[in-house]
Amino acid sequence: MATSLLLTDRLKGVIGDRTADALAKSFGMSTVEDLLRHYPRRYVVRGEFSDIAELLEGDEVTVLAEIAAVKTRRANGRNILEVNVTDGSAVMSLTFFNQPWREKELKVGKTGMFAGKVGSFNGKRQLSHPDYQLIPDGDDVDSALAGFAGKFLPVYPAGGKMPSWKISQCLEIVLDSLGEIEDYLPESVRNEFGYPDLKQALVSIHKPESLEAAELARLRLTFDEAILLQLLLAQRRAELKELDATPRKIKTDGLVSVFEAKLPFKYTDGQLEVNKEIAEDMQQPHPMHRLLQGEVGSGKTVVALRAMLSVIESGGQAALLAPTEVLAGQHFKTISKLLGDLALAGTLQGSGEGTQLALLTGSLSAPAKREALGKIKSGEAGIVIGTHALISEGVEFDDLALVVVDEQHRFGVEQRDALRMKAAKPPHVLVMTATPIPRTVAMTIFGDLDVSTLRQLPSGRIPIQTHVIPVLEKPHYLERAWERVKEEIAKGHQAYIVAPRISAGEEDETKAKISQADIEMAKLMGDEISSEEIAGTKDMASVEELAPKLATGALKGVKLAPLHGRQSSELKDETMAAFASGALDVLVATTVIEVGVDVPNASVMVIMDADRFGVSQLHQLRGRVGRGTIPGLCLLVSGSSEESPAMARLTAVAGTLDGFELSRIDLDQRREGDVLGRAQSGTKSHLRLLRVLRDEELIEQARRVATDLISTDPKLAKYSVLAAQVNLLREEERSTFLDKG
Ligand code: ADP
Ligand code: MG
């Protein structure tokens, strides 16, 4: 075939219809580019096989061996596939969790190359989830290996119908007839880093001359992903700077000063600094776009409130968007309390100064809603707090000047945009998150926001103690946990008991539940996730079972009530109010209490099936206790075995209160892929290689290059191929969470 294939050509017609169909089905590929972008996970070096008898634990090895035995078993609700292989020198085992389909290809008598890190289990050497390349039936080993052109055999993420060697064969065909490819990366940038051009990189990653060439190709392709994203974000930053906003300057004798004079505490140094950053942003004639991150309890609310008051001084309004009704209600109460009679302007109780608050949620009665809408429209309500109900059609503002978004990650872009449309000029935007985000993640995902961080907790806090309760090995620890709860209650304190789902036999409420993106990512990595994991229906604690059981059992005599997302908002409010006032001792709840709930008298939290929650989520949850001056205690109950990764995760949570550290662990655990993965529409994504933690340096470089390029040529007029590529990304990310701001 002539060397004329284009990236956009369809695979059908190039590699045979059946194979093309299988690639489409397994990986969603349809074009030559899709296939070329299916990068190998590693390379098996021909002739460098290890003897099984000589393997040492911890070695990265590839063995050439024959399958001697295959068996499956179940343990802890997982399907475990164990394959014994031998190379004549010794036997070793390969294990795969929840990938029953591999049994179909890993047949006794087959020979393959198996690569991975040597571990041990029960004193036996094993490879867990090795990469492998089976020798096709009918081929002897030598001729199979001879069939590959290079010395380095790429190992691809495989799917049920598409083993790695088949993918290799397709790529051989495509690479053989690949035409010229126009490189979108400017030559000056390529030269700066010594990167190969695009075609060379694509060839080298699949058919490397050397491992160094493969590595350089991979670097260049990873850099591509980083720079396209950074260019997009740099363009957005530039666009935002073009927008007009009303500058809001804080007066020396205005509402902010009155408020601060009444504040019962002093700002921390961190708060002072962030206050200043926000005030400076809002004095600009362009809208602020700032992310405020800080630990639970670090005092973000006060900072946000000050920003809100500063726009009210000049006649503007502020909207605070919360992800749930419970949280909106909490904010309303907290802010009312912080403002005192400053929130009662124009009413009999008011002192004349200040403003009014309006709460707008979906569950308001019609008259209450009418009243709130009226005050929002007239501008009487300077601070409007609500859920997404705020975004609905009927809501009109007099002069919306500032939008504060709490817990950003739960809001869609469209929703934020819709709210922004309600303002005459683009409002200032402040996004608050309690999930600490490592710097490069912030740069990658929130790259068009400026970032402020509160690292310090207000003084006087006593650090929370966290312990893991491994009920599988030590069931009696759980009784002790309930006793601890009773002891706290006897001291006049209160407790939360958290369960991952509302009722038995249905989906859980945790975010740890496996997302579509996770499933796709896992597929891409050649893993399979069991259907019960997907549905989250594995046996686990539920609020509806646990509450009555505790009420008549371990916590008999204690005043407890259930709280979850399916209750009416009246009931939820009633329960929360009762808990806040101390009329209830214990809340048995789902993660509805995760964010924002502030009851300083609560001192202990027991989290059931804690392994069902993500690391950051556990950290958020435990932030609900120890908020006052009494010490907090958090008990993580789990039925996982003490050696499991789940238990390691819980131990990590118990071991540190540093949210940044934990968010790194969280990212590691979720293979990081998830951070960007949620933004990936399946396999059709620009983000395949980039890993935000591992590639910190590369992301920094890409950001610098992107900022330079955009500052001299905002539309990339001189680089039309690159501009087209960035626009493609812009389209792709349009409806995803990368589109922040
Ligand atoms: P976050 O929103 O970051 O979770 P909050 O703003 O709700 O934190 O603050 C947590 C608690 O600490 C609240 O009760 C708040 O009133 C109090 N607080 C905030 N700033 C300070 C401070 N500088 N000194 C003492 N207490 C503070
Ligand atoms: Mg808060």
Side-chain angles (χ1 to χ4, degrees):
M1 205 185 290
T3 54
S4 59
L5 266 188
L6 301 177
L7 289 182
T8 48
D9 283 347
R10 328 257 337 144
L11 282 171
K12 261 191 192 168
V14 181
I15 54 166
D17 288 2
R18 274 189 52 194
T19 313
D21 283 342
L23 284 173
K25 194 152 174 270
S26 296
F27 305 107
M29 293 177 189
S30 59
T31 65
V32 166
E33 173 154 19
D34 292 342
L35 180 61
L36 286 170
R37 299 284 186 184
H38 191 73
Y39 305 128
R41 257 208 300 203
R42 66 158 87 207
Y43 306 89
V44 170
V45 183
R46 194 147 39 118
E48 289 184 9
F49 300 119
S50 316
D51 278 353
I52 294 178
E54 277 158 27
L55 300 183
L56 295 178
E57 214 178 312
D59 285 351
E60 283 282 349
V61 300
T62 304
V63 297
L64 179 66
E66 183 179 323
I67 298 175
V70 178
K71 64 170 191 265
T72 54
R73 60 193 165 89
R74 293 191 72 76
N76 290 331
R78 307 197 121 217
N79 169 302
I80 302 173
L81 177 64
E82 202 177 304
V83 178
N84 282 340
V85 297
T86 177
D87 64 353
S89 75
V91 177
M92 84 181 302
S93 80
L94 318 172
T95 23
F96 300 88
F97 293 95
N98 289 335
Q99 303 187 334
W101 58 269
R102 290 202 186 272
E103 203 179 343
K104 287 191 219 108
E105 60 183 42
L106 294 169
K107 293 251 171 62
V108 173
K110 273 195 162 279
T111 298
M113 290 160 278
F114 304 91
K117 190 168 173 179
V118 181
S120 87
F121 184 70
N122 286 341
K124 244 171 60 186
R125 275 168 309 217
Q126 70 157 10
L127 298 179
S128 169
H129 286 233
D131 288 321
Y132 60 85
Q133 171 92 286
L134 295 175
I135 308 296
D137 277 336
D139 286 5
D140 63 57
V141 173
D142 285 343
S143 65
L145 294 185
F148 297 100
K151 178 169 182 259
F152 304 97
L153 311 178
V155 179
Y156 290 97
K161 285 229 166 62
M162 263 293 155
S164 177
W165 62 269
K166 251 194 190 172
I167 297 170
S168 291
Q169 285 179 347
C170 296
L171 274 155
E172 286 280 333
I173 298 170
V174 165
L175 288 171
D176 271 352
S177 40
L178 195 60
E180 281 312 303
I181 299 176
E182 198 168 8
D183 198 346
Y184 41 77
L185 198 62
E187 203 179 336
S188 58
V189 179
R190 265 187 349 243
N191 290 343
E192 181 181 345
F193 298 101
Y195 289 145
D197 68 28
L198 182 56
K199 181 169 177 184
Q200 185 57 49
L202 288 171
V203 172
S204 284
I205 199 164
H206 293 292
K207 283 175 76 172
E209 296 282 322
S210 64
L211 288 180
E212 291 71 39
E215 187 47 36
L216 194 61
R218 183 173 297 267
L219 260 184
R220 138 94 217 225
L221 295 169
T222 310
F223 184 81
D224 284 6
E225 296 178 4
I227 192 152
L228 289 175
L229 193 55
Q230 293 303 331
L231 282 168
L232 177 62
L233 295 168
Q235 277 187 342
R236 284 215 191 110
R237 282 195 302 271
E239 284 156 20
L240 291 172
K241 284 217 184 80
E242 297 284 293
L243 296 176
D244 288 335
T246 310
R248 308 279 173 171
K249 194 165 162 53
I250 298 176
K251 301 189 186 104
T252 46
D253 56 350
L255 194 51
V256 171
S257 322
V258 179
F259 166 71
E260 290 182 337
K262 293 178 18 153
L263 207 57
F265 47 75
K266 272 202 170 121
Y267 290 127
T268 61
D269 291 346
Q271 284 171 321
L272 284 172
E273 197 176 308
V274 176
N275 283 342
K276 204 170 128 215
E277 287 170 342
I278 293 174
E280 275 168 10
D281 277 3
M282 296 208 303
Q283 283 175 36
Q284 305 301 317
H286 314 293
M288 165 174 77
H289 280 91
R290 188 166 281 280
L291 174 72
L292 170 55
Q293 57 171 337
E295 291 285 315
V296 172
S298 60
K300 295 182 296 296
T301 309
V302 185
V303 167
L305 179 57
R306 181 181 192 268
M308 294 193 259
L309 294 174
S310 75
V311 302
I312 294 169
E313 284 190 358
S314 53
Q317 287 168 292
L320 171 56
L321 272 178
T324 65
E325 292 210 359
V326 171
L327 199 50
Q330 279 279 325
H331 274 309
F332 184 80
K333 273 176 226 155
T334 312
I335 290 177
S336 304
K337 211 163 89 192
L338 280 165
L339 286 177
D341 57 11
L342 289 180
L344 303 170
T347 68
L348 283 178
Q349 297 95 315
S351 59
E353 272 169 310
T355 187
Q356 285 188 44
L357 302 192
L359 177 66
L360 195 75
T361 59
S363 61
L364 284 189
S365 68
K369 186 170 177 197
R370 233 180 347 261
E371 194 193 331
L373 287 176
K375 284 184 177 178
I376 298 170
K377 186 167 180 188
S378 71
E380 270 170 290
I383 296 179
V384 183
I385 298 167
T387 54
H388 52 268
L390 269 186
I391 299 162
S392 68
E393 299 257 319
V395 186
E396 280 175 60
F397 288 83
D398 175 46
D399 178 11
L400 180 57
L402 170 67
V403 176
V404 179
V405 182
D406 193 10
E407 293 303 325
Q408 147 106 356
H409 48 285
R410 307 206 182 168
F411 265 100
V413 183
E414 294 81 9
Q415 291 170 316
R416 262 192 321 273
D417 283 350
L419 191 62
R420 228 193 271 159
M421 299 301 269
K422 294 184 181 296
K425 276 189 182 177
H428 300 286
V429 176
L430 180 66
V431 173
M432 296 196 283
T433 177
T435 313
I437 304 165
R439 198 181 125 68
T440 42
V441 180
M443 238 160 61
T444 311
I445 295 170
F446 300 98
D448 51 354
L449 300 182
D450 298 307
V451 180
S452 295
T453 306
L454 287 173
R455 287 179 187 276
Q456 194 184 10
L457 294 186
S459 56
R461 295 280 166 73
I462 302 163
I464 307 162
Q465 292 271 343
T466 307
H467 299 287
V468 180
I469 308 217
V471 283
L472 189 67
E473 279 96 351
K474 307 196 172 72
H476 59 282
Y477 277 26
L478 188 58
E479 287 150 42
R480 180 69 195 117
W482 301 132
E483 261 157 40
R484 280 294 285 126
V485 170
K486 285 199 281 194
E487 285 163 24
E488 286 301 310
I489 291 163
K491 283 190 232 163
H493 303 158
Q494 290 163 285
Y496 299 102
I497 295 161
V498 182
R501 61 180 166 175
I502 298 174
S503 49
E506 61 164 9
E507 294 202 0
D508 68 350
E509 289 244 305
T510 63
K511 281 195 267 116
K513 189 176 86 182
I514 296 181
S515 67
Q516 192 56 35
D518 280 331
I519 297 167
E520 274 160 16
M521 193 66 195
K523 265 202 219 134
L524 195 70
M525 303 294 285
D527 291 352
E528 188 149 295
I529 296 172
S530 75
S531 59
E532 55 187 5
E533 272 182 287
I534 292 169
T537 48
K538 273 202 295 199
D539 224 21
M540 70 187 123
S542 72
V543 169
E544 285 183 346
E545 279 176 320
L546 195 60
K549 203 168 116 197
L550 288 173
T552 56
L555 297 182
K556 203 166 167 183
V558 164
K559 285 169 284 178
L560 66 78
L563 181 75
H564 59 72
R566 264 211 321 259
Q567 292 168 330
S568 70
S569 37
E570 294 86 60
L571 180 55
K572 272 185 286 195
D573 287 348
E574 224 172 82
T575 307
M576 269 316 302
F579 189 69
S581 73
L584 278 174
D585 301 316
V586 175
L587 278 187
V588 182
T590 55
T591 51
V592 291
I593 57 153
E594 183 183 351
V595 273
V597 174
D598 192 1
V599 178
N601 191 44
S603 62
V604 55
M605 173 176 287
V606 182
I607 305 180
M608 307 301 289
D609 288 310
D611 48 285
R612 296 297 304 171
F613 301 89
V615 168
S616 295
Q617 200 175 19
L618 290 169
H619 184 57
Q620 295 294 317
L621 278 167
R622 75 175 155 187
R624 302 297 112 215
V625 296
R627 289 174 74 79
T629 45
I630 44 175
L633 174 68
C634 176
L635 303 173
L636 306 175
V637 180
S638 170
S640 303
S641 86
E642 282 185 285
E643 258 111 67
S644 65
M647 201 51 95
R649 205 167 73 212
L650 297 182
T651 311
V653 174
T656 180
L657 289 170
D658 181 341
F660 285 90
E661 175 60 27
L662 287 169
S663 76
R664 289 191 82 99
I665 295 171
D666 206 8
L667 288 175
D668 273 347
Q669 289 269 339
R670 288 186 290 154
R671 280 214 215 87
E672 297 179 35
D674 189 45
V675 181
L676 299 168
R678 261 179 289 166
Q680 299 184 349
S681 43
T683 56
K684 282 201 198 309
S685 167
H686 283 83
L687 302 168
R688 292 160 185 271
L689 297 171
L690 191 67
R691 292 291 176 269
V692 281
L693 297 184
R694 189 195 59 202
D695 300 323
E696 269 174 334
E697 195 188 337
L698 203 124
I699 293 172
E700 304 256 8
Q701 288 168 346
R703 184 178 169 95
R704 174 179 56 74
V705 172
T707 310
D708 286 354
L709 282 173
I710 296 298
S711 69
T712 54
D713 184 0
K715 296 258 182 290
L716 294 173
K718 278 199 295 242
Y719 306 100
S720 58
V721 201
L722 185 59
Q725 208 69 23
V726 175
N727 276 335
L728 220 63
L729 183 60
R730 186 185 284 262
E731 296 290 297
E732 201 175 282
E733 308 304 352
R734 189 64 239 150
S735 57
T736 76
F737 89 138
L738 278 174
D739 199 340
K740 296 289 175 192

